[in-house]
Amino acid sequence: MVENFTNQWLKSIEQGLMAEIQALPSDQERLKAAMTYAVAAGGKRLRPILLLATCQLAGGNPHDCLAMALALEMIHTYSLIHDDLPGMDNDDLRRGKPTLHIQFDQATAILAGDAFLTMAFELASKAKISDREKVSLLARLSHYAGPSGMIAGQMLDIQSETKDIRLEQLEKIHQEKTGKLILFAVEAGLAFGNLSDLENHALISYAKHYGLAFQIQNDLQDVLWDTNQSGKVVGKDQELEKNTYPSLLGVEGALAYLQEQSQAARKNLHVIKETTMQEKQAKEVLVSLLDYLHI
């Protein structure tokens, strides 16, 4: 059932992203080519799948929130494009292919990222939900993606380079930098459904633990994986003297912490009592996303 869900919605996500790009003005061929290149590079589409599965688990219709899921992926894509720039992480590879500024140029990469960010909010406004809920979600998305969320985390990450920080400070960085968009995926999915307060709280807790586990895994991949496995140049965290979970806890400590966070997220799913085959399918998708968290 998990494969049926992911295959169906991955296809819808890819087609939706490409359709939005191709609908741009015909005189913007270079910009469209750059944006198409970024999308065609692939990716897990974790955030939109998480949003759609949460919606279905909460008793909603994933078709109603597809526009919001696409918008979330556009914001994630913009963040990766800008993170790769020479002024940020200065990466040459992303998903096994040259990064956008290498394939095109820096100016085009900046504009492509800007285009994804601004298009995201136009697209999110098309979600099939009440105007009141839509405004609330748009405000939350801008909050989580901006200087009180992802951008704040990125800034703190840069400022912490070469400095000694505590584990709680590192978690704060990644709760903002990585965790907020994952949290939004679940919160947005819940807005399209109708679960109890207890179930909503459990899924929000799932998202928080998942976001932290996802970042721990990412840090470990930079240490334990090679370029072919990760799709990007590894060892960059150490080169930039970044604070990471392996650098603070050691590899074994980081692996144990990854397991702890994954188990905490999984425990929250026990609270959800699915009553239909669609809800059972969606819950299995959330379980499968946890199974992905391994090294």
Side-chain angles (χ1 to χ4, degrees):
M1 288 198 299
V2 171
E3 287 186 1
N4 290 339
F5 183 94
T6 54
N7 288 341
Q8 174 191 348
W9 288 108
L10 280 174
K11 183 178 179 180
S12 295
I13 291 165
E14 301 303 329
Q15 290 177 341
L17 291 170
M18 288 298 186
E20 292 297 324
I21 295 169
Q22 292 309 310
L24 293 173
S26 59
D27 62 352
Q28 292 298 323
E29 290 306 319
R30 182 168 177 80
L31 180 61
K32 290 164 70 173
M35 295 173 74
T36 298
Y37 179 83
V39 169
K44 297 176 288 295
R45 311 305 187 207
L46 162 70
R47 292 154 190 83
I49 289 293
L50 181 56
L51 196 161
L52 295 164
T54 301
C55 170
Q56 183 164 302
L57 180 56
N61 184 344
H63 289 281
D64 293 342
C65 60
L66 180 58
M68 192 67 71
L70 294 176
L72 181 57
E73 185 65 12
M74 284 185 174
I75 291 177
H76 175 59
T77 302
Y78 124 79
S79 73
L80 297 182
I81 293 170
H82 283 195
D83 279 355
D84 289 338
L85 289 167
M88 298 287 282
D89 290 345
N90 194 24
D91 278 319
D92 294 337
L93 286 177
R94 168 72 64 180
R95 295 166 178 158
K97 298 180 180 180
T99 48
L100 197 62
H101 69 275
I102 296 295
Q103 184 71 18
F104 290 83
D105 55 65
Q106 288 188 48
T108 301
I110 291 170
L111 291 172
D114 291 345
F116 276 121
L117 175 60
T118 49
M119 282 177 64
F121 287 94
E122 178 184 4
L123 186 55
S125 70
K126 301 176 183 177
K128 298 176 182 178
I129 196 170
S130 71
D131 288 345
R132 182 177 179 179
E133 287 287 356
K134 189 181 299 183
V135 170
S136 176
L137 287 174
L138 286 169
R140 195 175 309 175
L141 180 57
S142 61
H143 184 80
Y144 284 177
S148 296
M150 183 175 65
I151 300 300
Q154 185 67 60
M155 192 74 246
L156 289 171
D157 190 28
I158 292 171
Q159 291 176 319
S160 73
E161 290 175 8
T162 75
K163 296 180 181 178
D164 292 329
I165 65 173
R166 300 185 303 275
L167 178 61
E168 56 265 32
Q169 292 174 298
L170 183 62
E171 289 184 350
K172 168 67 174 175
I173 290 171
H174 291 136
Q175 284 167 357
E176 307 294 344
K177 180 181 174 182
T178 304
K180 282 295 177 65
L181 289 191
I182 290 175
L183 177 59
F184 178 81
V186 168
E187 290 183 349
L190 290 173
F192 287 84
N194 186 31
L195 290 181
S196 68
D197 289 344
L198 178 64
E199 290 170 314
N200 284 338
H201 178 78
L203 284 173
I204 289 170
S205 180
Y206 165 93
K208 290 178 178 178
H209 286 292
Y210 190 96
L212 187 53
F214 186 86
Q215 184 61 51
I216 298 168
Q217 181 199 43
N218 187 269
D219 287 356
L220 283 164
Q221 288 172 352
D222 191 68
V223 175
L224 298 176
W225 284 14
D226 59 31
T227 298
N228 289 331
Q229 289 173 293
S230 68
K232 59 183 180 180
V233 176
V234 297
K236 293 294 294 290
D237 289 344
Q238 185 175 3
E239 178 184 328
L240 295 172
E241 298 184 69
K242 284 182 174 287
N243 285 285
T244 66
Y245 291 95
S247 71
L248 264 67
L249 303 175
V251 170
E252 292 303 319
L255 286 168
Y257 201 37
L258 170 62
Q259 183 70 11
E260 177 185 326
Q261 293 301 319
S262 179
Q263 289 176 348
R266 192 181 302 271
K267 184 177 179 180
N268 280 285
L269 292 180
H270 298 328
V271 175
I272 313 301
K273 305 302 180 184
E274 66 278 10
T275 58
T276 68
M277 288 298 295
Q278 289 78 14
E279 291 169 5
K280 182 178 180 181
Q281 179 190 52
K283 185 175 179 179
E284 289 182 1
V285 172
L286 298 191
V287 171
S288 73
L289 292 177
L290 286 170
D291 293 337
Y292 160 78
L293 294 174
H294 64 84
I295 297 295

